[in-house]
Amino acid sequence: EVQLVESGGGLVQPGGSLRVSCVASGFTFSSYWMSWVRQAPGKGLEWVANIKQDGSEKYYVDSVKGRFTISRDNAKNSLYLQMNSLRAEDTAVYYCARGYRIGQHWGQGTLVTVSS
Amino acid sequence: DIQMTQSPSSLSASVGDRVTITCQASQDISNYLNWYQQKPGKAPKFLIYDASNLETGVPSRFSGSGSGTDFTFTISSLQPEDIATYYCQQYDNLPLTFGGGTKVEIK
């Protein structure tokens, strides 16, 4: 059974940093693109970033370019999102999802709150 | 970026009604479209891929159609458990983009 479990969310002040993680199981992690998608409270879904199987390609939505970095450790079946210079508008549930086009497999999400 | 315009933003229908949601892309995306169902506090559930293909295990009352810029999602007979917000999502180009969502309620 495919499982994606996010962690690392929490309360952070504006301008601060946070790293969220996603541990994958039930499939060959190194064979798949992985994505981060976020959802602000009461709002819709927004794709944030994705990363190729070997980490050689990474793409971001414009609003996080230069502030967020997606990475992965295939030996640990783990996906990461390093978030710097956080803003109030980054407050959201962050989901990891399997695949370039996303689709079936999502984690349960981790809440990141940016507030003073 | 490709904009995905979903309508309506909300609807209220009776159990057994046919429900239709539309999703319009700002440019041709062929059939590179997913549909999801999301219930409060839960991750989205994948329903349809390639605009019209039902994911395994999804009830047959759900269907999708369309290509190019205009797409339709249909629930043929609304059930109480279908109360949720539905999203379309294109994967023709990065950034991947979602429609704004359609909240479906029971009348």
Side-chain angles (χ1 to χ4, degrees):
Chain A
E1 178 193 4
V2 172
Q3 284 200 318
L4 299 167
V5 179
E6 300 94 337
S7 61
L11 176 63
V12 60
Q13 291 189 338
S17 297
L18 199 65
R19 188 179 84 157
V20 293
S21 304
C22 170
V23 176
S25 61
F27 66 101
T28 305
F29 180 73
S30 58
S31 295
Y32 289 86
W33 281 77
M34 295 296 295
S35 302
W36 286 101
V37 177
R38 67 183 178 182
Q39 186 169 35
K43 301 297 184 183
L45 299 163
E46 181 183 38
W47 172 82
V48 174
N50 63 11
I51 184 169
K52 195 176 179 179
Q53 289 91 329
D54 62 358
S56 61
E57 295 182 36
K58 305 174 184 182
Y59 301 96
Y60 301 90
V61 69
D62 282 350
S63 59
V64 308
K65 282 180 184 174
R67 300 188 300 122
F68 288 14
T69 302
I70 189 171
S71 63
R72 64 193 296 162
D73 184 337
N74 288 340
K76 295 183 178 180
N77 289 343
S78 293
L79 176 72
Y80 307 102
L81 187 67
Q82 176 68 44
M83 301 181 289
N84 299 330
S85 303
L86 281 160
R87 306 167 180 167
E89 55 265 34
D90 296 318
T91 293
V93 173
Y94 285 75
Y95 295 100
C96 69
R98 191 181 83 171
Y100 180 92
R101 57 178 63 178
I102 311 180
Q104 183 181 13
H105 300 290
W106 298 60
Q108 85 290 348
T110 188
L111 176 62
V112 173
T113 303
V114 184
S115 175
S116 55
Chain B
D1 297 2
I2 298 174
Q3 308 303 316
M4 305 300 293
T5 303
Q6 241 181 282
S7 62
S9 56
S10 65
L11 65 89
S12 182
S14 300
V15 173
D17 281 356
R18 183 181 184 89
V19 168
T20 298
I21 298 168
T22 64
C23 182
Q24 185 171 58
S26 60
Q27 65 188 67
D28 189 338
I29 60 168
S30 185
N31 66 333
Y32 299 135
L33 188 87
N34 289 330
W35 287 97
Y36 300 90
Q37 175 194 68
Q38 188 180 33
K39 297 183 177 180
K42 300 293 187 181
K45 178 185 176 182
F46 186 46
L47 299 178
I48 288 171
Y49 62 97
D50 292 346
S52 61
N53 292 302
L54 207 62
E55 175 67 2
T56 302
V58 174
S60 59
R61 65 180 180 274
F62 296 103
S63 65
S65 64
S67 66
T69 60
D70 295 305
F71 301 87
T72 300
F73 173 81
T74 300
I75 307 173
S76 61
S77 176
L78 186 67
Q79 300 301 305
E81 60 266 33
D82 300 336
I83 300 314
T85 300
Y86 293 84
Y87 294 93
C88 60
Q89 174 239 318
Q90 66 80 21
Y91 47 90
D92 181 55
N93 272 338
L94 293 178
L96 305 181
T97 46
F98 291 85
T102 298
K103 187 174 183 179
V104 175
E105 297 175 322
I106 295 285
K107 191 181 296 182

